Amino acid sequence: MSEPVPVPAPGPAPARLSARRILALVTDPGTFAELPHPARQSPPDGPLGWQGYDASRARAAERTGEEESVVVGTARVDGTAAVLIAFEFGFLGGSLGQRTGDRLEAAYVHARAHRLPVVPLVATGGSRMQEGMLALSQLQRVARQSALTREAGLAQVAVLRDPTTGGGWATLGAGADVILALPGAQVGFAGSRVRPPDADPAAYTAEAQVAAGAADAVVPPGELKASLGLWLRLLTSPAPIPAEPPFALGGSALPATGWEAVRRARAPHRPRAEAYLDAYFTRRVALVGDRCGGADPGGMLCGFGERADGRTVAFAAQTGAATRPAGYRTAARLIRLADRLGIPVLTLVDTPGAANDAEAERQGAGAAIAELFGEVAAARTPVTTLVVGEGGSGGALALAAPGNTWATPDSYFSVIAPELAAAILKRAPEDVETTAGQLRIRPQDLVELGVVRGIVGSSPDGLAAPAPPG
């Protein structure tokens, strides 16, 4: 089954910061400017004539100093300009009504007009009962604005505060490209008063959502500005040129035989994904989970990193383990996002193959691999691949860029593992080494066959010339 992110026991519920306080926490001083919004005229006690609604709104305004449940405006976050949407939970539980929808739409329209990312700072209990279906329909309005902003190639990074439930979670929160959350925040579609009485409360936390692949990180309040600022900087720095393949970290000698290539690729102390990513990037952030209930942190590392020259490159890297369906879906999610934002992608191939146990089949292994094949094939942004270890069959090839795949000297790429090939051919165990040679899986074989462009060395001078076409 998928390897879940360990779920730490949630601590006490975080302090519920007001909209203005959360804005002050994440924005650069003096940069926040509130956006104008339409002045909606409503009948007494709102569209449903809900007795006491006007009085409730007046009390909420007096208590919070706000006119509605959201405050929207522009600001810089650690130097990067963005549109921010801050929910005021003290105003009728941060609920969404028609006037809330007016402000949200104005925020997204401004973001598209000025090419700015959108940052929802969510704290809401859901749609406003006093406005009935007119309140619930605001979710469709928000979803459309979010979709238009996505089509415009602009990033959306949500911050989940306490609580984030109902339609606010199902649109502004879960619909964002990247989802950060405060520790201990209550997060879930069902609010605390409408869940089954025997529901496990731990399932409705920020930590549980990260473990389930529905959010990317839990970030303490003191680190939120720096983390959010880094994400915004990376996601707003497109660079259309392809990523260079990393240098080899494990030596430059080429294997003499196919079986030697296999043994070197499987060596326990060979450099793996973490080492390559650390050497390639000055800073990086992780994209976690497939948004379908799974994560594969033991098999696939995804995220965005900053190169020494300031360029952003997205990465999807296999770790040397069998890749699970959630890992393939997370990589597909990464490539879709990078493609939409115009950010080049680096993939690192290193797996004995796709996980093939019964649980992997139940989780849709074939469909997940097919999805990744399709995303790599359709990507408009350049994709660069380096095979850093084992290249086991289709489970490895799904991550490889056609025409722009490179190999390290301590790697191999094969249609099937030599042991499995020998078994299928009904050969004796002692024939495995011969079979490995016949498969022509060494890096130099792959260059000669035109499967990879070249073999990388440990320095720029060691980068092999591309293989001739054909």
Side-chain angles (χ1 to χ4, degrees), residues 219-383:
V219 183
E223 301 172 15
L224 183 58
K225 180 178 180 180
S227 179
L228 182 58
L230 178 57
W231 270 109
L232 291 174
R233 185 165 72 253
L234 292 174
L235 297 183
T236 57
S237 303
I241 60 175
E244 306 90 346
F247 304 140
L249 300 179
S252 58
L254 294 173
T257 67
W259 187 242
E260 182 187 346
V262 172
R263 287 192 299 104
R264 287 176 56 181
R266 293 176 179 173
H269 301 300
R270 170 184 55 78
R272 297 182 186 269
E274 288 276 8
Y276 276 94
L277 296 174
D278 286 344
Y280 195 76
F281 295 112
T282 57
R283 304 178 74 182
R284 55 189 168 94
V285 289
L287 199 75
V288 176
D290 62 3
R291 297 298 184 264
C292 300
D296 185 21
M300 183 78 77
L301 304 177
C302 294
F304 292 82
E306 187 174 58
R307 300 280 278 140
D309 60 4
R311 284 186 299 142
T312 298
V313 174
F315 63 86
Q318 291 170 316
T319 64
T323 308
R324 305 206 63 82
Y328 291 114
R329 285 192 288 262
T330 304
R333 173 191 164 212
L334 179 281
I335 292 171
R336 278 194 300 272
L337 177 56
D339 189 50
R340 179 159 53 79
L341 300 179
I343 296 172
V345 178
L346 170 70
T347 65
L348 302 181
V349 168
D350 186 9
T351 181
N356 58 6
D357 53 85
E359 187 62 24
E361 292 298 334
R362 283 191 286 266
Q363 294 168 357
I369 295 170
E371 180 185 3
L372 181 56
F373 265 119
E375 294 299 340
V376 172
R380 296 160 298 179
T381 198
V383 181

Side-chain angles (χ1 to χ4, degrees), residues 95-120:
S95 56
L96 282 75
Q98 288 181 306
R99 293 179 182 177
T100 320
D102 293 340
R103 286 161 170 76
L104 295 175
E105 182 171 322
Y108 279 101
V109 169
H110 184 90
R112 293 195 297 275
H114 296 271
R115 304 294 303 166
L116 296 174
V118 179
V119 180

Side-chain angles (χ1 to χ4, degrees), residues 29-44:
T31 63
F32 181 74
E34 201 160 346
L35 289 173
H37 52 79
R40 178 184 290 268
Q41 298 299 318
S42 298

